């Protein structure tokens, strides 16, 4: 018998207006309604907190400069079987996404699902800068320069009992997490666009580029003891090409 799995959508917020309004609308319009939407709120000086209170959303106040500490807290407080991280600037494209994800989990023995995303201009959601397409990735001798967009992943909560986001990293913990995820668990790629992701996120800012690449280097050295330097430079070239796309 098919099961309506409960989803926990986790959104970390700090000075997130006005884009947070579209984030929430994209979740509220979902045809599949068995979900909770948790907001981890850091101190804000705009209308973020007032807006969430007016919408009667579940708010957990937690101040940290490390977003992965906020994410881990949200996962810990969640009650769903499936975890989905939707950043405050981003929005789901289709009203049937949760329904499709639920159906896919029911039909397959898998631990996570992921897809594609559109990277859009920060103040013009109709202007697509890049289509971030992925593919089906196995875990045999796992190696992939262009990992799927982290914000497209629907992950079974039981996995987070084995490992969480490593808070030793400020920008690249999702990269570290995805390497472990693909190495140890089975996922399914859906060839469809899940979300619109605005430019201007922490990892995409030029001032954080050096920090990210340094953290990526440490992560690659941890998992690829003999080939990490080659992989690092391939990834560096790929990232630089990405940066040129946004110029």
């Amino acid at each position: 018998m098919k099961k309506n799995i409960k989803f926990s959508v986790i959104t970390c917020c700090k000075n997130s207006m006005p884009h947070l309004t579209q984030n929430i609308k994209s979740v509220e319009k979902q045809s599949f309604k068995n979900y909770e939407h948790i907001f981890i709120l850091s101190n804000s000086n705009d209308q973020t907190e007032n807006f969430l209170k007016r919408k009667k959303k579940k708010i957990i106040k937690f101040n940290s400069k490390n977003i992965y500490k906020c994410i881990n807290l949200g996962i810990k407080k969640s009650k769903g079987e499936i975890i989905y991280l939707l950043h405050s600037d981003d929005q789901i494209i289709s009203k049937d996404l949760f329904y499709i994800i639920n159906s896919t989990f029911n039909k397959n023995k898998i631990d996570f699902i992921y897809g594609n995303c559109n990277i859009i201009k920060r103040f013009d959601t109709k202007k697509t800068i890049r289509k971030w397409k992925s593919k089906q990735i196995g875990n045999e001798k796992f190696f992939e320069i262009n990992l799927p967009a982290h914000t497209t992943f629907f992950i079974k909560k039981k996995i987070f009992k084995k490992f969480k986001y490593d808070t030793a990293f400020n920008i690249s913990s999702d990269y570290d997490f995805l390497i472990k995820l693909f190495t140890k668990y089975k996922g399914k790629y859906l060839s469809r666009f899940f979300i619109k992701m605005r430019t201007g996120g922490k990892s995409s800012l030029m001032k954080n580029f050096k920090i990210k690449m340094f953290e990526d280097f440490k992560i690659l050295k941890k998992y690829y003891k003999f080939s990490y330097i080659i992989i690092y430079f391939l990834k560096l070239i790929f990232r630089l090409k990405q940066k040129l796309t946004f110029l």
Side-chain angles (χ1 to χ4, degrees):
M1 185 174 72
K2 290 185 177 181
K3 178 182 178 183
N4 283 337
I5 306 168
K6 184 168 185 176
F7 294 0
S8 290
V9 183
I10 297 170
T11 299
C12 298
C13 303
K14 181 175 182 179
N15 295 325
S16 299
M17 297 297 283
H19 303 315
L20 184 61
T21 59
Q22 291 174 307
N23 168 297
I24 291 174
K25 284 180 182 177
S26 74
V27 175
E28 290 180 337
K29 74 177 183 181
Q30 291 299 303
S31 58
F32 182 86
K33 297 298 183 183
N34 193 20
Y35 68 84
E36 62 175 353
H37 197 172
I38 302 171
F39 296 86
I40 310 300
L41 178 64
S42 295
N43 281 344
S44 299
N45 53 26
D46 66 355
Q47 291 298 310
T48 299
E49 183 173 357
N50 290 336
F51 177 72
L52 290 173
K53 286 180 177 178
R54 287 200 307 273
K55 296 288 289 184
K56 298 181 179 179
K57 297 300 181 181
K58 181 176 180 179
I59 303 171
I60 299 172
K61 291 187 177 182
F62 181 69
N63 292 315
S64 177
K65 292 182 179 179
N66 188 314
I67 191 172
Y68 301 107
K69 290 182 179 180
C70 298
I71 291 171
N72 284 339
L73 177 62
I75 294 168
K76 182 180 179 180
K77 297 292 185 180
S78 67
K79 296 179 180 178
E81 298 174 62
I82 302 297
I83 302 296
Y84 178 55
L85 306 178
L86 182 64
H87 295 328
S88 61
D89 285 348
D90 303 339
Q91 61 192 87
I92 299 168
I93 294 171
S94 170
K95 65 180 179 62
D96 294 319
L97 180 61
F98 289 2
Y99 174 84
I100 292 166
I101 298 297
N102 180 73
S103 177
T104 305
F105 271 117
N106 275 303
K107 293 176 181 177
N108 299 271
K109 293 183 178 180
I110 51 177
D111 301 299
F112 61 94
I113 296 169
Y114 60 99
N116 306 323
C117 84
N118 283 329
I119 300 178
I120 58 174
K121 281 208 165 185
R122 188 159 188 81
F123 297 102
D124 185 1
T125 59
K126 295 180 180 179
K127 180 66 174 178
T128 299
I129 297 174
R130 176 187 165 214
K131 290 184 178 293
W132 189 340
K133 292 184 178 181
S134 190
K135 62 183 179 181
Q136 183 66 43
I137 301 173
N139 56 12
E140 301 84 6
K141 297 181 180 179
F142 176 76
F143 166 72
E144 187 68 31
I145 292 294
N146 182 23
L147 281 173
H150 177 236
T151 47
T152 67
F153 279 74
F154 290 77
I155 305 170
K156 287 185 175 179
K157 187 178 179 180
K158 68 178 184 179
I159 289 174
F160 294 96
K161 294 179 181 179
K162 302 293 184 180
F163 54 88
K164 298 179 176 63
Y165 290 92
D166 189 342
T167 56
F169 302 109
N170 287 302
I171 297 176
S172 294
S173 187
D174 50 341
Y175 182 49
D176 174 75
F177 182 88
L178 290 183
I179 291 176
K180 288 185 284 190
L181 185 68
F182 275 106
T183 302
K184 298 179 180 180
Y185 294 94
K186 183 179 179 181
K188 185 173 180 61
Y189 164 66
L190 298 183
S191 183
R192 62 185 299 124
F193 285 86
F194 287 10
I195 67 163
K196 293 180 179 180
M197 178 195 297
R198 283 184 169 86
T199 55
K202 187 175 182 180
S203 65
S204 68
L205 296 176
M206 285 302 296
K207 67 179 181 179
N208 292 324
F209 183 72
K210 289 182 180 179
I211 298 172
K212 174 165 178 54
M213 294 313 299
F214 176 71
E215 290 186 357
D216 286 354
F217 182 84
K218 291 176 67 176
I219 292 166
L220 288 169
K221 187 176 181 180
K222 180 169 60 171
Y223 293 110
Y224 306 102
K225 297 183 185 296
F226 301 107
S227 57
Y228 70 92
I229 294 178
I230 295 172
I231 298 172
Y232 174 79
F233 280 108
L234 289 173
K235 184 174 175 61
L236 179 61
I237 292 168
F238 179 80
R239 290 288 297 174
L240 287 170
K241 287 181 178 178
Q242 281 186 320
K243 289 294 175 188
L244 291 173
T245 303
F246 300 123
L247 293 178

